[in-house]
């Protein structure tokens, strides 16, 4: 799949405690977005002419992308017109949003246009961690938005970021989401200079994830389903003997991020960071720069001896850089997290598959 | 917390797709007449599934259920059963037509979406007008 991500704005209406983005008052001009879509169209046509099957996705990113909602609605219509007619799988879209600006009209538009909406929500830690710009908690409004979202998209994905100070709320938060009707949760520990993971806090997180595993097994019995995305990924990748290192983790390969000023980046993590631009709308992808960055994306030496290396995200450049400042190093947090998730996923999968829970087996083994 | 390589890993006890595919075919095998997303053939006898898998798997009902996945009509011919049936099922609560990987916020998500090309093309693109 080819992916284009448009950074619609750097602004955000929240002030999350772990956020590392600079919320400058800049947004993407429509002309820049149209130019990016045209370049994307050309790239897709070239893939088609080379005989590759094409499938394409356009993501809208921020800050908070729905601050530019009108532009997004226009650009979806524009892209449908320019790309929708190509002989490829239907164009899909994705928006990760904090939900505050969603309404039913937008959800109806999203449904009509195959927009995947992922909602950022930290569960019971929402109020202490994800406050608005006025310092007010946002759980009440986001919970309402979640209910609205689930009525239109029952398979909505919720994205949780775990702040170390609130790691004790993980399992209860997952249960909260399940109770609300959520059936897909992605979760990841917060990292960077604004958070601090100690051994004690990680131990709390680990105990919570053991409880999440128990929930996962309960809620995947029989015809039920509940996805914990990190577990699902580890299990599916093992079943397919597929490396955790996704092709889109390689710079300039399968995805391009276009910033508000038209500069290209290999991943949303690198947007605006000096030295990581890999081209621009005018100049297109700078292959030499891509090669130069790829050469820095080495496997950490310690990881080469590890028997879990094929199942671990240790070569994800943006994750490594976010944790350590280096493309070729992993942090102790990453290492412990990966080992934990792999172990718990395997324990859960062994039980669920041995018991032949039909829906779970289907989800994991279907090609 | 330590960055520490892991040695002497116990292999997961659930089978890989390759192990399922290599499972010896028997006269009770189920065949799929049309191409679906399922590529494995399923043995219905309960025996061990592979030398590296610790538990015996029967590949019974749950794995037969893999053949239910059909976005379009699929003809299933059950070995030993002369009935041919056309099935079209969508699992409740889950939109299933094509599997595809989507990258959401750095996390790969296998996501499925119904395909209906009638909804994709939205008519003529109108020029964007900035609101004051």
């Amino acid at each position: 799949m080819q992916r284009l991500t448009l950074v619609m704005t750097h602004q955000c209406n929240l002030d999350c405690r772990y956020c590392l983005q600079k919320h400058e008052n800049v947004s993407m001009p429509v002309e820049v977005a149209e130019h990016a879509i045209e370049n994307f169209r050309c790239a897709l046509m070239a893939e088609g002419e080379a005989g590759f099957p094409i499938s394409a996705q356009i993501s809208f990113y921020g800050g908070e992308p729905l601050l530019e909602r009108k532009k997004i609605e226009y650009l979806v219509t524009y892209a449908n017109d320019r790309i929708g007619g190509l002989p490829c799988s239907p164009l899909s879209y994705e928006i990760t949003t904090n939900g505050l600006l969603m309404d039913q009209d937008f959800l109806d538009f999203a449904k009509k246009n195959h927009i995947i909406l992922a909602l950022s929500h930290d569960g019971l830690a929402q109020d202490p961690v994800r406050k608005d710009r006025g310092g007010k908690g946002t759980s009440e409004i986001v919970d309402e938005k979640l209910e609205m979202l689930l009525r239109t998209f029952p398979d909505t994905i919720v994205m949780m970021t775990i702040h170390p100070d609130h790691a004790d709320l993980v399992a209860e938060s997952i249960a909260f989401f399940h109770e609300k009707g959520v059936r897909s949760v992605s979760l990841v520990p917060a990292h960077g200079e604004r958070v601090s993971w100690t051994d004690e806090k990680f131990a709390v997180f680990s105990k919570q994830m053991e409880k999440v595993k128990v929930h996962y097994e309960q809620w995947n019995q029989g015809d039920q389903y509940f996805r914990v995305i990190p577990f699902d990924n580890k299990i599916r990748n093992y079943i397919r003997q597929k490396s955790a290192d996704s092709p889109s983790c390689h710079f300039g390969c399968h995805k391009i991020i276009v910033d508000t000023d038209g500069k290209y980046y290999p991943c949303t993590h690198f947007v605006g960071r000096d030295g990581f631009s890999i081209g621009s709308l005018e100049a297109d992808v700078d292959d030499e720069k891509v090669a130069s960055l790829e050469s820095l994306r080495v496997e950490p030496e310690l990881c080469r001896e590890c028997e879990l290396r094929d199942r671990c995200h240790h070569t994800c450049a943006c994750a490594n850089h976010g944790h350590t400042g280096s493309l070729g190093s992993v942090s102790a947090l990453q290492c412990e997290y990966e080992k934990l998730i792999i172990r718990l996923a395997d324990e859960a999968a062994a039980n669920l598959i041995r018991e032949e829970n039909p829906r779970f087996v289907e989800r994991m083994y279907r090609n | 917390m330590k960055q520490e390589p892991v040695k002497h890993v116990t292999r997961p006890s659930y089978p890989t797709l390759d192990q399922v595919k290599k499972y010896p075919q028997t006269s009770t095998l189920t065949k799929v007449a049309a191409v679906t997303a399922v590529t494995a053939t399923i043995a219905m006898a309960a025996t061990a599934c592979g030398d590296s898998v610790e538990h015996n798997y029967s590949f019974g009902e749950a794995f037969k259920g893999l053949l239910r996945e059909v976005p379009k009509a699929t003809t299933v011919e059950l070995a030993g059963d002369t009935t041919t049936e056309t099935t079209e099922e969508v699992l409740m609560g889950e939109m299933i037509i094509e599997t595809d990987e989507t990258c959401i916020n750095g996390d790969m998500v296998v996501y499925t979406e119904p395909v209906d090309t009638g909804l994709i093309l939205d008519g003529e693109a109108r020029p964007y007008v900035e609101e004051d």
Side-chain angles (χ1 to χ4, degrees):
Chain A
M1 170 178 277
Q2 296 289 342
R3 294 183 181 87
L4 170 70
T5 297
L6 302 175
V7 180
M8 297 306 298
T9 179
H10 289 192
Q11 289 182 291
C12 190
N13 47 1
L14 288 188
D15 186 17
C16 302
R17 278 169 55 191
Y18 42 67
C19 186
L20 298 170
Q21 291 186 352
K22 295 177 203 164
H23 295 302
E24 300 148 327
N25 187 12
V26 290
S27 295
M28 179 176 277
V30 167
E31 302 74 40
V32 170
E34 286 174 342
H35 191 165
I37 289 169
E38 290 302 321
N39 282 10
F40 190 47
R41 180 176 186 270
C42 292
L44 292 173
M45 285 174 65
E47 289 269 308
E49 279 162 17
F52 295 113
I54 309 170
S55 66
Q57 182 183 75
I58 297 178
S59 296
F60 298 101
Y61 199 72
E64 169 50 45
L66 290 188
L67 286 167
E68 296 292 331
R69 169 183 162 170
K70 289 292 175 205
K71 274 186 202 167
I72 290 174
E73 288 172 352
Y74 164 71
L75 290 168
V76 166
T77 308
Y78 181 86
N80 285 344
D81 185 68
R82 296 298 294 151
I83 295 175
L86 292 182
C88 62
S89 298
L91 183 57
S92 66
Y93 302 91
E94 184 270 326
I95 302 174
T96 302
T97 172
N98 60 38
L100 262 60
L101 298 174
M102 270 187 337
D103 61 23
Q104 193 58 52
D105 282 346
F106 185 76
L107 294 184
D108 293 340
F109 175 84
K111 193 165 179 77
K112 187 179 173 196
N113 289 282
H114 298 285
I115 301 175
I116 300 165
L117 289 169
L119 179 71
S120 295
H121 191 321
D122 289 357
L124 302 185
Q126 179 76 8
D127 270 345
V129 176
R130 293 173 65 83
K131 295 185 193 295
D132 66 18
R133 296 255 143 209
K136 204 172 147 209
T138 53
S139 62
E140 198 175 326
I141 184 170
V142 176
D143 289 354
E144 271 176 35
K145 300 293 184 179
L146 174 60
E147 287 169 10
M148 187 197 317
L149 187 52
L150 286 168
R151 283 193 292 271
T152 308
F153 293 99
D155 214 22
T156 286
I157 299 169
V158 168
M159 317 283 291
M160 265 181 80
T161 303
I162 314 301
H163 193 289
D165 293 350
H166 302 284
D168 59 325
L169 296 173
V170 172
E172 217 177 322
S173 297
I174 298 284
F176 166 80
F177 289 136
H178 183 261
E179 180 69 22
K180 286 278 183 191
V182 173
R183 291 297 175 262
S184 295
V185 177
S186 175
L187 55 91
V188 64
H191 60 269
E193 62 249 23
R194 296 187 71 189
V195 299
S196 172
W197 281 94
T198 62
D199 288 350
E200 291 71 28
K201 288 179 183 175
F202 191 81
V204 169
F205 173 70
S206 297
K207 282 204 176 101
Q208 289 289 306
M209 288 307 294
E210 295 275 358
K211 293 182 183 178
V212 170
K213 185 202 79 165
V214 172
H215 287 322
Y216 184 76
E217 288 187 45
Q218 282 168 345
W219 299 333
N220 279 292
Q221 295 286 320
D223 281 340
Q224 301 177 82
Y225 79 98
F226 188 83
R227 297 188 194 97
V228 174
I229 304 296
F231 288 170
D232 271 38
N233 282 353
K234 292 302 183 199
I235 297 164
R236 281 180 62 91
N237 283 346
Y238 172 74
I239 283 171
R240 281 152 189 74
Q241 294 289 279
K242 200 170 137 182
S243 167
D245 183 11
S246 155
S248 65
C249 282
H250 293 257
F251 290 127
C253 188
H254 298 301
K255 75 178 182 191
I256 292 285
I257 318 302
V258 182
D259 197 6
T260 53
D261 56 5
K263 280 191 185 157
Y264 287 179
Y265 291 92
C267 187
T268 51
H269 166 78
F270 294 109
V271 167
R273 290 180 193 264
D274 287 336
F276 287 98
S277 172
I278 56 168
S280 67
L281 285 176
E282 286 71 32
D284 212 357
V285 175
D286 180 346
D287 290 330
E288 274 182 31
K289 188 60 189 281
V290 169
S292 158
L293 287 174
E294 263 302 306
S295 70
L296 299 175
R297 208 177 137 270
V298 294
E299 182 176 29
E301 200 169 323
L302 211 53
C303 297
R304 291 173 208 166
E305 309 163 23
C306 183
E307 291 183 13
L308 291 178
R309 57 196 276 260
D310 285 339
R311 303 186 66 192
C312 171
H313 279 299
H314 64 295
T315 56
C316 176
C318 66
N320 290 357
H321 189 268
H323 280 261
T324 66
S326 162
L327 304 186
S329 303
V330 298
S331 66
L333 172 65
Q334 284 174 276
C335 188
E336 293 286 357
Y337 172 79
E338 288 286 323
K339 286 188 281 202
L340 175 69
I341 296 299
I342 290 169
R343 176 176 65 79
L344 295 176
D346 284 347
E347 286 172 9
N351 291 335
L352 287 165
I353 292 169
R354 187 185 311 116
E355 292 160 8
E356 296 207 17
N357 289 287
R359 192 128 180 204
F360 186 80
V361 168
E362 181 150 358
R363 185 165 97 238
M364 291 303 154
Y365 285 90
R366 181 162 27 114
N367 224 7
Chain B
M1 291 183 291
K2 282 188 282 189
Q3 190 199 344
E4 196 170 32
V6 176
K7 303 267 178 83
H8 312 299
V9 166
T10 304
R11 197 189 293 253
S13 61
Y14 52 98
T16 65
L17 204 51
D18 275 348
Q19 287 168 332
V20 171
K21 283 180 194 176
K22 273 189 235 173
Y23 198 83
Q25 300 193 14
T26 72
S27 60
T28 58
L29 258 191
T30 304
K31 292 182 249 178
V32 176
V35 174
T36 69
V38 175
T39 58
T41 55
I42 312 295
M44 292 157 100
T47 53
C49 68
D51 53 1
S52 61
V53 178
E54 293 166 21
H55 298 273
N56 289 341
Y57 281 89
S58 66
F59 288 119
E61 293 305 310
F63 286 86
K64 275 198 291 181
L66 290 173
L67 297 172
R68 287 191 292 116
E69 183 276 328
V70 274
K72 302 165 192 168
T74 299
T75 302
V76 177
E77 183 185 348
L78 298 175
D81 183 336
T82 55
T83 305
T84 303
E85 56 182 6
T86 302
T87 59
E88 187 174 274
E89 287 189 33
V90 174
L91 295 179
M92 278 225 333
E94 216 174 343
M95 298 177 286
I96 297 172
I97 299 294
E98 292 188 353
T99 57
D100 206 346
E101 283 186 354
T102 288
C103 188
I104 293 180
N105 206 15
D107 223 340
M108 299 304 292
V109 176
V110 177
Y111 200 84
T112 55
E113 275 285 338
V115 171
D116 184 346
T117 53
L119 294 179
I120 299 300
L121 300 176
D122 202 24
E124 292 287 315
R126 293 183 180 80
Y128 179 75
V129 176
E130 281 281 352
E131 291 179 355
D132 293 327

